[in-house]
Amino acid sequence: RLPASQPRSPSAGGRASEEEERTGPSAGPPAPVSFLSFIGHQLLVGVDETVTAEMEDESARRRRKGVYHFLRAPWELEKLLVLGYLVCLDSFLFMLTMLPLRVAASLCMLAARRRLSWLQVCDAMCVGAIAIAVLALEQIDTSQAYHSVKGQAVIKLYVVFNVLEVFDKLCASFGQDILHTLFWSSMARRTWQGHLLLDFAIVAVYLVVHSCVLFYQVVSLNVAVNSHNNVMLTLLVSNNFVELKSNVFKRFEPDNLFVLSCSDMIERFQLTCYLLIVALHVLTVHADSVVLANVLGAIGMVSAAELLVDWIKHAFVIKFNGIQPTIYRRFHAVVCRDLANSVAGGHDDRQAGPHMLQSSAAASTRIGFSCIPLICLVVRSVGQFVRWLQLTRSPTGWAIIALVWLLLFLLKALLSVALAGYACEQTLGAAPAARASMPGLRDERSQSFTAEWLGADAVGASATAPALASRGGLEVPSAHSERSDASTSPAMRERQ
């Protein structure tokens, strides 16, 4: 706009009129706003309409839902981890209570000059390999190992913690294949002369190596728990939080999340066994109540750190990868289906693996839990406790051991029955839902996971249902009755 004192040229006036017709009249400068007017506008004026529209946008609702999923993930995770923990406990108690009885029965049959089956041979060889590993652990002086670890620098202890954890995972993954090899070699009668002895030697070496790794993990935990300056304990707790860095910022698919959840199940159970062994060692060395209280406080801190790290890790994995927490229910259904198939005879005896056909064989195999090295470590620690009772000349030492073993035997029986009943109930109830569409998955690759893992679970659940019905007298609805449920009478639906 030209100044008022300067006349416009006709060409300039024409151009200005054309510009005004095209864009409208030009706005003048904004009115001046004082500081008090600005403050009053900020305090008294309500929410702008644009802000309200943004709050009602789809992205805002998605963010709010993401917050709710973040808070819900620990609850859904705990239900899965508790089930996996009980499966690990059932497998561990089987090896500790049932397997010695089966080997004793096999020895009685051998004394009666009766031929042993391939399963009894595998039981005997597993017990022999456990005995070799326990004898190898007996050669390690606990006090010397404790002071050798305690005398290291803090940075060396940090490296030792990580190296032992890595070796534990490597041995566990390789041990599954080794134990399966021994199982199949004992089943194949043609290889009893050569391959069976070679596989037994490999299993014995593996158990010795893996048991030594677990032993030094327990020693490191014992040093951290009994440290007076809490530096080692802080190092151990902070080492758990390093796990967040290695998992949270990675891309996870549902199958990777299932593997991570199984790893957390095994880690929790192993940590429980480690802490019990440390508490037993402290009980045999220190009788002071103050020392025991400090040790129990340190054990509680380590356990709380483990729970907190698992919750934070899975919550952020769910948030960053756009997966709903209901995916843990699908994992829960997978483990329940394996348990139900073991009870209903869905798995053949030749497919049970090296877990000697306990009720949780298929589930523990899917989780990847190998309890035999842990059994070696526990047997060695219990033997040390028995020797301490003998030194104190306690007349009830062996009676206490026998009573504890009997209680564990009863716990194993009750736990197996409870897991079998719960798994069958969940599987029979989840068979229709497993065949339905499954929300909570992110993309097509997640849908392929559903078709591969959980679609097979639906088939397994529907195949398990008739077997359970034939064994327990249950009336299970067929697929046709599920589709035509609307035309079924209420009494028939109640019976189904």
Side-chain angles (χ1 to χ4, degrees), residues 37 97 123 215 295 383 405 493:
S37 300
T97 58
D123 289 341
F215 175 78
V295 170
W405 184 88
R493 286 199 299 269

Side-chain angles (χ1 to χ4, degrees), residues 467-490:
L468 293 174
S470 61
R471 292 190 177 200
L474 300 175
E475 293 187 9
V476 182
S478 61
H480 176 71
S481 63
E482 291 171 2
R483 289 192 297 268
S484 60
D485 186 65
S487 61
T488 309
S489 63

Side-chain angles (χ1 to χ4, degrees), residues 33-190:
V33 179
S34 65
F35 179 76
L36 294 179
S37 300
F38 175 77
I39 296 298
H41 182 273
Q42 295 295 325
L43 294 178
L44 300 179
V45 176
V47 180
D48 194 2
E49 294 182 359
T50 58
V51 178
T52 306
E54 183 181 357
M55 291 176 62
E56 295 179 354
D57 192 48
E58 181 66 26
S59 62
R61 284 197 295 270
R62 186 170 60 251
R63 292 172 184 174
R64 182 175 63 249
K65 187 181 294 184
V67 173
Y68 295 157
H69 289 170
F70 180 86
L71 299 176
R72 185 183 172 186
W75 171 252
E76 298 291 342
L77 172 68
E78 282 301 316
K79 292 189 288 186
L80 173 65
L81 294 186
V82 167
L83 179 62
Y85 185 91
L86 293 178
V87 169
C88 295
L89 179 60
D90 182 73
S91 179
F92 178 81
L93 291 179
F94 174 85
M95 300 295 296
L96 197 61
T97 58
M98 297 291 185
L99 186 61
L101 296 179
R102 293 176 59 163
V103 173
S106 301
L107 293 178
C108 293
M109 292 180 59
L110 191 61
R113 297 181 179 180
R114 297 178 58 184
R115 186 174 181 180
L116 301 180
S117 64
W118 58 270
L119 182 58
Q120 292 172 330
V121 171
C122 189
D123 289 341
M125 300 192 77
C126 281
V127 171
I130 291 173
I132 293 175
V134 171
L135 291 177
L137 288 177
E138 289 290 343
Q139 307 304 317
I140 303 176
D141 189 3
T142 306
S143 300
Q144 185 178 359
Y146 178 86
H147 290 289
S148 64
V149 173
K150 187 177 181 179
Q152 301 297 326
V154 176
I155 188 65
K156 288 185 179 180
L157 285 177
Y158 183 79
V159 174
V160 166
F161 288 155
N162 288 277
V163 168
L164 289 176
E165 185 177 359
V166 170
F167 270 98
D168 179 28
K169 293 181 179 179
L170 293 178
C171 292
S173 61
F174 190 59
Q176 289 284 329
D177 299 334
I178 294 175
L179 295 174
H180 273 282
T181 302
L182 177 64
F183 186 85
W184 284 103
S185 297
S186 61
M187 186 184 63
R189 301 180 183 270
R190 296 180 181 179

Side-chain angles (χ1 to χ4, degrees), residues 1-3 6-20:
R1 178 179 298 179
L2 297 176
Q6 184 177 358
R8 299 183 183 180
S9 62
S11 59
R15 287 195 299 269
S17 60
E18 292 177 0
E19 187 71 21
E20 289 183 359

Side-chain angles (χ1 to χ4, degrees), residues 227-256:
S227 60
H228 299 287
N229 54 4
N230 292 328
V231 174
M232 297 181 183
L233 183 61
T234 306
L235 177 63
L236 182 62
V237 173
S238 62
N239 193 28
N240 291 329
F241 284 91
V242 176
E243 188 179 357
L244 293 176
K245 180 181 179 181
S246 60
N247 291 305
V248 167
F249 302 104
K250 290 183 179 179
R251 181 179 177 87
F252 273 86
E253 299 295 338
D255 50 354
N256 305 121

